[in-house]
């Protein structure tokens, strides 16, 4: 690692969290605000700006002095101008100085699960399929590049890639989701190979109680798979977002994870 | 397997090959025309229709009676109408009957290598990045679905997914290519899980003497990596497309490959 300071949580950070308006993203946002220095700045990005502003407001109350900005952002809306100006505009708006931050952190949490009512060979709708990969892969890469262009000179740089065991294990009716998560993992493995001074954690949060998991449970065309998820719920095996986000913080705090390698929620610390 | 006949090469087949105009696709097209029954029909799809019509003409001369059609097709041009009508139009144009074919084969060979002059965090151009994933992932899935909609009732169905060790191993300046190949592999793993009666071969052809490899050698921003490829050339380790296509045919002929698992050129048969 280029940065001699191993403790990621002592650094004044500029932190971006996508999909911070609800579910796991909201929980991760909360944990990072709680654990990073109060001098840090947090930027929440999601399509639902009203919801994430409520999250920001709640966190500002719980953690007085926390500096949180939010910006309406649709990762699948691939407009060059948005990616070119997003971070510089936020920095200007909040009167920040890029050079003041010891650490740049981006949490790529935003993703869509796709249409789980369809099997792989039923993926025929051009617009929805293109949008799916725009959100889960292309838009994420573009946002990542825009971020690292802005913070290219920052000493400590950290990416949290929210992944899934779906990136490694095929599940029925999850063909495009599995494909997109595999693509993301591999993209970051290359990035980490190219610049090992950037820390990359590909964290698989386990089966969390999110709208996404409920959607798969309720809408998957594969009854056996849907029943497996129902069983997970009924047997209490579905994790709270809070529990999984705590583990993420613990993994980051320990900071011994192998760069860009897949870390599962239940892997030993 | 649903089909009791293990020999894939005895069946009257409808065969689609993308990127058949040159390089590896051209070689694979040639081998399949040579090895499948003369009653089969071959459809070549690529952006360069003039070039693939020359290939078709040459093969028709070498293998009298071979039935080959070609169609200009840009996998990254995501137009719903094209995917909806492509196969039915070809079937009508050539006065074919879907029910006559014992086997439906699609060889997903078409792909673009992306911009190897850029590192992962330099991927900032919206239009080119979107087009890249449209070609390598989204368009391929759409074509695959359109094909299997047309041949849903065909007893024997085979997909050849041309993959790469890049789907498993990160290489510098290959971030998006690696990501797209990972996505494809995983997509087909799910498809094969969902319907094991479809045979899927994810074949990694090794370092073949193609324009793509020469492009990486000449344009990669990572000098060490480019030098490694140059060394491959100078040491005679680069395969001819013919050699690699022969191995592909041998793997298909043996037909014991594990469904949708990665098969490398140099894996033992």
């Amino acid at each position: 690692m280029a940065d001699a300071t191993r403790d990621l949580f002592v650094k004044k950070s500029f932190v971006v969290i996508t999909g911070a308006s609800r579910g796991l993203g909201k929980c991760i946002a909360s944990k990072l605000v709680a654990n990073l220095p109060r001098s840090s700045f947090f930027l929440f990005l999601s399509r639902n700006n009203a919801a994430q502003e409520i999250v920001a407001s709640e966190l500002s109350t719980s953690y007085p002095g926390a500096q949180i900005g939010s910006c309406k952002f649709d990762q699948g809306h691939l407009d060059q101008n948005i990616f070119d100006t997003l971070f510089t505009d936020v920095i200007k708006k909040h009167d920040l100085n890029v050079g003041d931050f010891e650490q740049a952190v981006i949490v790529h949490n935003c993703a869509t699960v796709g249409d789980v009512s369809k099997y792989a060979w039923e993926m025929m709708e051009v617009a929805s399929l293109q949008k799916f990969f725009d959100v889960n892969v292309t838009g994420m890469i573009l946002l990542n590049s825009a971020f690292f262009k802005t913070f290219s000179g920052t000493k400590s740089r950290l990416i949290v890639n929210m992944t899934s065991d779906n990136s490694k294990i095929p599940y029925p009716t999850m063909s495009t989701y599995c494909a997109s998560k595999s693509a993301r993992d591999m993209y970051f493995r290359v990035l980490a190979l190219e610049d090992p001074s950037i820390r990359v954690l590909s964290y698989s949060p386990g089966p969390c109680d999110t709208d996404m998991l409920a959607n798969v449970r309720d809408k998957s065309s594969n009854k056996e798979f849907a029943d497996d998820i129902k069983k997970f719920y009924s047997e209490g095996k579905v994790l709270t977002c809070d529990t999984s986000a705590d583990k993420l913080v613990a993994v980051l705090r320990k900071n011994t994870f192998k760069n860009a390698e897949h870390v599962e929620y239940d892997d030993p610390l």
Side-chain angles (χ1 to χ4, degrees), chain A:
Chain A
M1 275 173 276
D3 191 341
T5 308
R6 266 199 46 208
D7 188 346
L8 301 170
F9 287 108
V10 298
K11 298 169 188 169
K12 175 179 172 156
S13 304
F14 189 103
V15 184
V16 175
I17 301 153
T18 62
S21 64
R22 59 180 177 147
L24 199 50
K26 180 179 167 178
C27 257
I28 292 167
S30 164
K31 303 287 173 189
L32 294 184
V33 171
N35 281 281
L36 280 159
R38 196 62 67 244
S39 54
S40 301
F41 183 85
F42 297 85
L43 175 62
F44 297 168
L45 300 177
S46 81
R47 286 182 301 173
N48 191 338
N49 199 35
Q52 70 186 357
E53 283 195 344
I54 293 169
V55 177
S57 167
E58 286 169 358
L59 287 173
S60 297
T61 306
S62 302
Y63 303 97
Q67 301 175 76
I68 307 170
S70 78
C71 189
K72 188 175 162 65
F73 175 71
D74 176 351
Q75 196 158 279
H77 179 56
L78 302 189
D79 179 308
Q80 186 72 56
N81 187 52
I82 293 172
F83 292 99
D84 287 348
T85 60
L86 179 64
F87 294 113
T88 45
D89 282 359
V90 166
I91 285 161
K92 199 174 169 190
K93 182 183 166 190
H94 291 274
D95 201 21
L96 305 170
N97 186 345
V98 169
D100 287 348
F101 294 97
E102 299 168 272
Q103 181 168 255
V105 181
I106 187 160
V107 182
H108 290 294
N109 167 67
C110 158
T112 173
V113 74
D115 186 352
V116 295
S117 77
K118 290 195 172 60
Y119 287 99
W121 57 86
E122 294 176 313
M123 296 291 168
M124 293 181 196
E125 289 172 23
V126 166
S128 59
L129 201 63
Q130 187 184 39
K131 182 79 177 181
F132 175 86
F133 284 106
D134 284 353
V135 172
N136 283 19
V137 181
T138 316
M140 189 215 66
I141 292 174
L142 290 164
L143 184 73
N144 192 67
S145 298
F147 183 71
F148 283 99
K149 186 182 179 191
T150 310
F151 291 95
S152 61
T154 305
K155 204 174 165 193
S156 177
R157 292 171 296 164
L158 169 69
I159 295 166
V160 179
N161 166 37
M162 296 303 288
T163 184
S164 165
D165 63 350
N166 290 331
S167 77
K168 305 274 178 205
I169 304 167
Y171 288 100
T173 71
M174 304 285 282
S175 62
T176 52
Y177 188 70
C178 289
S180 70
K181 289 290 179 180
S182 278
R184 287 164 62 123
D185 282 14
M186 181 48 89
Y187 175 80
F188 285 118
R189 286 178 66 196
V190 176
L191 185 147
L193 174 77
E194 289 172 344
D195 187 346
S197 78
I198 299 178
R199 287 289 276 160
V200 180
L201 174 62
S202 279
Y203 178 67
S204 173
C208 292
D209 188 13
T210 59
D211 291 350
M212 190 185 276
L213 188 63
N215 178 60
V216 179
R217 174 195 66 194
D218 298 339
K219 294 187 180 163
S220 174
S221 289
N222 189 291
K223 200 186 165 304
E224 201 178 340
F225 179 52
D227 285 348
D228 284 348
I229 300 175
K230 277 173 199 148
K231 216 171 150 190
F232 254 73
Y233 276 93
S234 64
E235 290 176 352
K237 287 180 181 162
V238 172
L239 305 167
T240 65
C241 292
D242 204 58
T243 305
S244 186
D246 274 338
K247 178 65 180 272
L248 167 62
V249 169
V251 173
L252 289 173
R253 193 172 285 289
K254 195 166 185 206
N255 194 10
T256 52
F257 56 88
K258 215 173 151 190
N259 228 13
E261 291 305 306
H262 199 96
V263 176
E264 287 284 335
Y265 161 77
D266 53 5
D267 285 347
L269 251 191

